[in-house]
Amino acid sequence: MSSNVSKSRDKQSLHYIIYSGIAGGFAGCVAKTVVAPLDRVKILFQASNPDFQKYAGSWSGAFRAGHEIFNSQGVRGLFQGHSMTLLRVFPYAAIKFMAYDQILMPTREQETNFRRFAAGSISGTLSVFFTYPLEVIRVRMAFHTRTTGQHNNHLALYQTLHQMYHERALEPQSIATSSKSGAVPVASKQFLNQFPILKFYRGFTATIIGMIPYAGVSFLSWGYLRARFIPEGDKNSKATPLADLTIGAVSGAVAQTASYPFEVIRRRMQVGGITRPDRWLRWGETISSIWKASGWRGFYVGLTIGYLKVVPMTAVSFAVWQGGKRILGV
């Protein structure tokens, strides 16, 4: 008995690492399921889906968009691409929480604000690196609004994979038109056609760069607020599900605000196979197109939905993670 207790308290033990990873993966799945309909609407807004741009820019627009999806596709439409989300988010959340809690932040006494930020950023980057193709597939599945057969999740997944892998360049006339506008699509076209697996990494650089402030600020806020309001060893301040939810919600709001422009950029790049299948979209042209179309506000399109989604998602994620660890004895 004492051996099991010591293992559960030793963050470097395999027992602790596995159980904390399971708790983190489960927490991520629960949190994503709670906000799945909002996530679908937000992706449609961020990626400038032509069917839903009329709703973008307001709180009520998000609900009207959700209502249209429900009327045309039913409940399944609100959860389109969610099976791929769960397939991605379990290893993503497991790696992120496990890396932060067990590997990068071994004891609470060693925590500083810098280490919280650095540990959060590194753990978030590691989780993205290993699960990114699943994220791109999920976004592509959520982006489609008119594709037939989308009610069959397995068929939708196969169609998305097949379409992404076999996406080819535009016709020469279209390429010439793109070249006149100052773009140089031919080299990147040949690059993508030669290495089609890279099509599953569209927007990867934007995601990695955006993950640094998002995960860093999220874990920094989480660690700082817990240390401030639930100090270790204080009998009068005990961690509760409500406290975890509240601190998680604040952490999510702060992190979302800090990193949102990067999220908009990466969404545009991720659906580049649909909007610009001829080449790999670059940072400069993606930022330029957003600025020309909407100015600085374009980098915050869907932010209200982002708050509606990220605040409860982060709150549930942190709370379920902590609750799962308590249940599993770690």
Side-chain angles (χ1 to χ4, degrees):
M1 180 69 178
S2 60
S3 176
N4 289 334
V5 172
S6 62
K7 284 183 179 180
S8 67
R9 290 178 178 175
D10 180 11
K11 287 191 174 184
Q12 301 301 314
S13 70
L14 182 62
H15 176 273
Y16 195 111
I17 292 172
I18 292 175
Y19 275 56
S20 181
I22 291 173
F26 181 72
C29 290
V30 173
K32 277 290 189 180
T33 300
V34 169
V35 299
L38 285 172
D39 199 26
R40 173 89 201 281
V41 173
K42 191 182 76 165
I43 289 173
L44 293 173
F45 284 3
Q46 288 179 328
S48 296
N49 185 288
D51 296 332
F52 288 86
Q53 280 305 288
K54 58 188 176 184
Y55 299 121
S58 67
W59 290 82
S60 60
F63 293 101
R64 293 203 303 271
H67 187 259
E68 179 176 327
I69 294 172
F70 179 79
N71 286 340
S72 60
Q73 303 174 40
V75 175
R76 289 176 180 266
L78 294 172
F79 286 86
Q80 185 168 302
H82 187 57
S83 58
M84 181 54 61
T85 297
L86 296 180
L87 182 62
R88 176 194 71 89
V89 82
F90 186 90
Y92 168 83
I95 292 170
K96 182 179 70 172
F97 284 120
M98 182 176 62
Y100 177 85
D101 193 26
Q102 285 78 32
I103 300 173
L104 301 171
M105 193 66 69
T107 65
R108 192 163 182 176
E109 291 76 16
Q110 293 177 299
E111 291 187 19
T112 63
N113 287 334
F114 174 77
R115 293 192 66 168
R116 290 175 184 128
F117 180 87
S121 298
I122 294 172
S123 62
T125 300
L126 285 173
S127 60
V128 168
F129 179 80
F130 287 108
T131 62
Y132 190 76
L134 298 174
E135 162 70 1
V136 178
I137 295 168
R138 193 269 299 199
V139 170
R140 290 288 292 269
M141 290 177 68
F143 180 82
H144 285 293
T145 55
R146 298 178 180 177
T147 303
T148 58
Q150 291 292 312
H151 293 302
N152 185 319
N153 287 332
H154 294 93
L155 178 60
L157 174 58
Y158 172 77
Q159 289 175 339
T160 301
L161 286 169
H162 185 272
Q163 179 185 359
M164 289 178 66
Y165 189 84
H166 293 283
E167 283 171 348
R168 308 300 293 177
L170 296 177
E171 296 299 320
Q173 181 179 359
S174 299
I175 294 175
T177 301
S178 298
S179 298
K180 290 179 182 179
S181 66
V184 186
V186 177
S188 57
K189 175 204 76 169
Q190 295 174 343
F191 189 68
L192 285 175
N193 288 343
Q194 186 176 0
F195 303 101
I197 193 66
L198 293 178
K199 297 170 185 175
F200 295 91
Y201 278 86
R202 290 181 182 271
F204 181 70
T205 54
T207 302
I208 289 295
I209 293 175
M211 180 55 64
I212 293 173
Y214 178 76
V217 171
S218 179
F219 278 106
L220 166 61
S221 302
W222 166 260
Y224 172 79
L225 292 173
R226 278 179 64 85
R228 176 69 177 80
F229 295 103
I230 313 175
E232 185 105 340
D234 188 345
K235 296 181 180 180
N236 296 323
S237 302
K238 186 178 180 181
T240 64
L242 180 59
D244 291 335
L245 282 169
T246 303
I247 294 174
V250 174
S251 301
V254 174
Q256 179 76 347
T257 303
S259 64
Y260 195 78
F262 295 102
E263 186 172 349
V264 174
I265 294 169
R266 76 185 174 99
R267 293 299 188 206
R268 293 290 186 93
M269 297 174 76
Q270 285 173 338
V271 299
I274 299 173
T275 59
R276 293 305 301 270
D278 57 316
R279 56 197 171 86
W280 183 283
L281 291 179
R282 295 177 174 83
W283 270 81
E285 65 181 306
T286 303
I287 294 173
S288 178
S289 66
I290 296 172
W291 179 267
K292 289 179 180 178
S294 309
W296 68 269
R297 295 179 183 274
F299 295 96
Y300 290 92
V301 62
L303 179 59
T304 51
I305 305 178
Y307 286 133
L308 284 174
K309 171 202 159 186
V310 170
V311 170
M313 183 185 73
T314 309
V316 170
S317 180
F318 276 120
V320 174
W321 175 46
Q322 291 298 307
K325 286 168 63 179
R326 284 192 285 266
I327 291 174
L328 294 173
V330 295

